[in-house]
Amino acid sequence: MAQSRSKMTRLATLLGGLLLAASVHAASWQEGNTYQVNTVVDYNGKTYSALVTHTAYVGAGWNPASTPTLWKETGTSSATPTPTATATPLACPIGTPNQYGYWKITNPVSCSTEWVITATMTPPPSPTPTATATPVSGTPAWSSTTIYNGGARVSVGSAVYEAKWWTQGNVPGADQWGPWKLVSGSAMTPTPTPTSTPTPTKAPCPIVTPIPGSTWVPPATPSDCGYWIPPTPTPSPTVTTTPSATPSATPTPSTTPSTDLLPKHVVVGYWHNFDNGSGVMRLKDVPAEYNIINVSFVEGDQSAAKGTAAFVLDKLFNEAEFIADIKLKQSQGTKVLVSLGGANGVIVIDSLEARERFIKTLGDIIAKYGFDGLDLDMENNLTITAQDDYRKPVTPQIVNVIAGVKAIKARFGEKFILTMAPEVNYVQGGHGYYGGTWGGYLPIIHGLRDDLNMLHVQHYNTGSIGATDGRQYSQGTVDFQVAMTDMLLTGFNLGGDVNKPFPALRPDQVGFGLPATTSAAGGGYLSIADTHKALDCLMKLQNCGSYKPAKAQPDLRGIMTWSINWDSKQNYDFAKKHSAYFNK
C-alpha cells in the first residue's frame, strides 16, 4: 500500500510539472539581443539554452539552429516560430534621406538599422601604368585592373614576372618585397601615363556596421565620409611626460588590463601542419618552453565566397588527436591560438557580406578546435590610401578586419587572446613612407590596440629600415631589433610628418620575431647570444650597440619565432635558451 501511495505521489508531481511547463514558454530569439548563459529562447518551434554569454550581432546569422557552439536544443516550443528577416516585408520606418545617405532597415523583425552612404561619387582617376615596351610574346601584359592569383605570369617590357599570391594593382618590379617576382628578362617598372588633374570628388565610402555603443559622425561636407567612433573606455590616470626637443609621437599607451591573460614574459612559436623542409610533429610534442603556440594557418577559401575562412588539417594528422593535443597543451598552461594568413593566406573582406561571412566561418573554426585566441599574420591585401587616417580608415578590407575581429572576440569573451605578426614594412616602414603596404597594418593595430595582447613584428625577410634617429638599420643585427622595437615603445611619426604621430603601445604588448634557424627565413637570423644582447638593451639598457633607447622596458612581453618546426632541427635551442633567459 505504501508503495502504491508513493507511485501516486510521484505521478501527481510529474503531472503538475507537465501542466506548468505547458502553460509558459520562453521568449522568442531576436537578432541583435545579448543573451546570458543558460537563457532559454524559442526559435522556429524549438527551445534552446545559451551555452555562453554572447551578442547575436545583426547580420551575423548566429541563430540558435545554426550555432551549436552558442546554443543547445532543449525541446519543442509551444510558441509561434520566430519569423526570419526574409519572410517579413519591410515595415519599419526608413528615416529621412539627405545628401549623404539614409538609415536602411537591415532586419525587418527587430527594425535594426544601418547607415548607408548614397552620395558616393566616382573617385578621381589615378595614373594608369602602361608598359614602356612590347610585351613578351605569349605572356599577357600586366594590367592594373586585372586580378592575378598566385602563379600567374605577366610581362612588363622584356621582363616576365610571376605572382607570389593574389594581387591587384601592385606594380611588378616596384617593390622587391611585393607580390611579384622576376622570372626572366631585365627588371622594368611600368611608366605612369600623365593625366590631367581631375576635379576633386569623393571616393566611395565604406558601408560599415557599427560596433555596439559606437557613435556615428556624419560627413561634414560632400567630399568627406561619415564614420563610427568606437566607445571610449574610462581612462585611467596618465603619467605626464616632458616632450622631447624633437617633435615626435606622444606616447599614449592604453592601460594595462586588470587580468593579464599571458605570463609576464613569453616565447611564441608557430607550429605548422605542413612540411616545408622542417618536418612535422604532433602538437603534444611541442616543448613546454613555448608559452604560446600559433597553429598555422587559417586561410581564405579561394573556392568559396569572399570572406570565407578555412582551416585544413594535413592528412598526416588525425583530427580527433589534434583536438586532444590542443586540450593537453592547454591543461599544461600553454595558450594555443590559430593564425590567420601566412604568405599565401589571402582572405578578401571587402564588403559587409564578406565581413559577416568572415566573422561566422572563422569563429566556427575557433570554436570547433577550442583555440584560445587569434593571431593576425596577414601578409598581403592590406594597402592604404591617402584617405586612410590610421585613426579612422576607410579602405573596406582594413575597416572590416577591425570590425570582424572585434565581433569574434565578443563571441568568445574577455579571455580571448589576440596577437599580431605583421612584416616590418607594414608597421615601422610607415615611418619613412605612409601609403600602399608601407604602414598598412597601423590602422589595424590602432583599431584593435585595446584588444591586443601582443604584437611581435617579423624582423626578417626584409632589408634595412629607417629608425626614428634618422639612421638605417639592417636585419640580422642587434641594433635592428632594438631600434625597430623601440619605435613601438615610444611612438613615431608617419612618413616623417610630425602632424601624424602614431602613439606608443604598452611594453607588455610588444615583442619581436626572429627565424629559429638560418634556413627558416630569407634573412634576418640572429644568434641567440646576440638576441640576448638586444633583449638586455631593451629591458635593462645593457649591452646596447650604437642604438640605445631612452629608458629600460623590463615589462617587454617577449619573443617570437618562425617556427617551432624549424627549432626542432636544433633540439629546440631557441625555445629553451630564450625561456631560460626570461626565467633567470
Side-chain angles (χ1 to χ4, degrees), residues 390-460:
Y390 72 87
R391 293 159 295 192
K392 48 178 187 290
V394 297
T395 297
Q397 177 81 2
I398 292 175
V399 170
N400 291 329
V401 167
I402 296 170
V405 171
K406 281 185 174 291
I408 290 171
K409 179 169 182 176
R411 172 175 174 178
F412 294 98
E414 290 303 314
K415 292 187 178 180
F416 187 80
I417 297 169
L418 177 65
T419 65
M420 300 182 192
E423 296 174 306
V424 174
N425 66 296
Y426 280 118
V427 184
Q428 293 95 332
H431 172 60
Y433 174 74
Y434 185 62
T437 60
W438 298 95
Y441 233 88
L442 294 176
I444 297 174
I445 295 170
H446 187 73
L448 295 169
R449 67 167 56 229
D450 291 333
D451 304 295
L452 179 63
N453 297 99
M454 186 176 181
L455 172 70
H456 34 65
V457 177
Q458 301 176 32
H459 285 187
Y460 47 90

Side-chain angles (χ1 to χ4, degrees), residues 290-325:
Y290 281 107
N291 311 78
I292 301 176
I293 299 173
N294 288 333
V295 171
S296 310
F297 288 104
V298 165
E299 301 179 349
D301 187 344
Q302 302 304 309
S303 65
K306 290 181 180 180
T308 303
F311 175 70
V312 180
L313 192 65
D314 192 273
K315 61 184 179 181
L316 296 171
F317 298 93
N318 175 275
E319 188 172 78
E321 290 179 344
F322 177 68
I323 294 174
D325 286 357

Side-chain angles (χ1 to χ4, degrees), residues 237-250:
T238 56
V239 179
T240 303
T241 57
T242 303
S244 58
T246 303
S248 60
T250 303

Side-chain angles (χ1 to χ4, degrees), residues 178-222:
W180 295 101
K181 66 178 178 180
L182 182 65
V183 176
S184 64
S186 301
M188 190 177 213
T189 303
T191 303
T193 300
T195 60
S196 59
T197 303
T199 303
T201 54
K202 187 178 74 174
C205 298
I207 297 174
V208 184
T209 299
I211 300 162
S214 57
T215 302
W216 170 252
V217 178
T221 70

Side-chain angles (χ1 to χ4, degrees), residues 33-123:
N33 288 350
T34 297
Y35 294 98
Q36 302 297 320
V37 63
N38 296 327
T39 299
V40 177
V41 299
D42 290 331
Y43 182 76
N44 282 354
K46 297 181 180 179
T47 58
Y48 296 83
S49 177
L51 297 173
V52 295
T53 299
H54 69 282
T55 299
Y57 290 105
V58 174
W62 295 352
N63 64 68
S66 65
T67 51
T69 58
L70 301 180
W71 297 94
K72 69 176 179 180
E73 184 180 332
T74 57
T76 301
S77 169
S78 60
T80 303
T82 303
T84 61
T86 56
T88 305
L90 189 65
C92 302
I94 297 297
T96 304
N98 59 31
Q99 68 186 97
Y100 304 121
Y102 59 90
W103 287 100
K104 181 184 78 173
I105 304 302
T106 57
N107 185 348
V109 176
S110 62
C111 287
S112 297
T113 57
E114 169 191 320
W115 183 267
V116 177
I117 298 296
T118 58
T120 54
M121 293 171 279
T122 305

Side-chain angles (χ1 to χ4, degrees), residues 441-520:
Y441 233 88
L442 294 176
I444 297 174
I445 295 170
H446 187 73
L448 295 169
R449 67 167 56 229
D450 291 333
D451 304 295
L452 179 63
N453 297 99
M454 186 176 181
L455 172 70
H456 34 65
V457 177
Q458 301 176 32
H459 285 187
Y460 47 90
N461 291 339
T462 187
S464 60
I465 296 288
T468 53
D469 63 353
R471 300 176 60 183
Q472 294 280 323
Y473 293 95
S474 298
Q475 65 176 356
T477 64
V478 171
D479 282 337
F480 185 87
Q481 321 310 321
V482 176
M484 294 299 106
T485 305
D486 192 47
M487 289 175 70
L488 302 177
L489 298 170
T490 60
F492 56 95
N493 298 322
L494 303 184
D497 186 346
V498 295
N499 296 313
K500 296 179 180 179
F502 185 81
L505 293 168
R506 301 190 313 264
D508 64 275
Q509 291 178 300
V510 178
F512 59 89
L514 290 170
T517 68
T518 54
S519 301

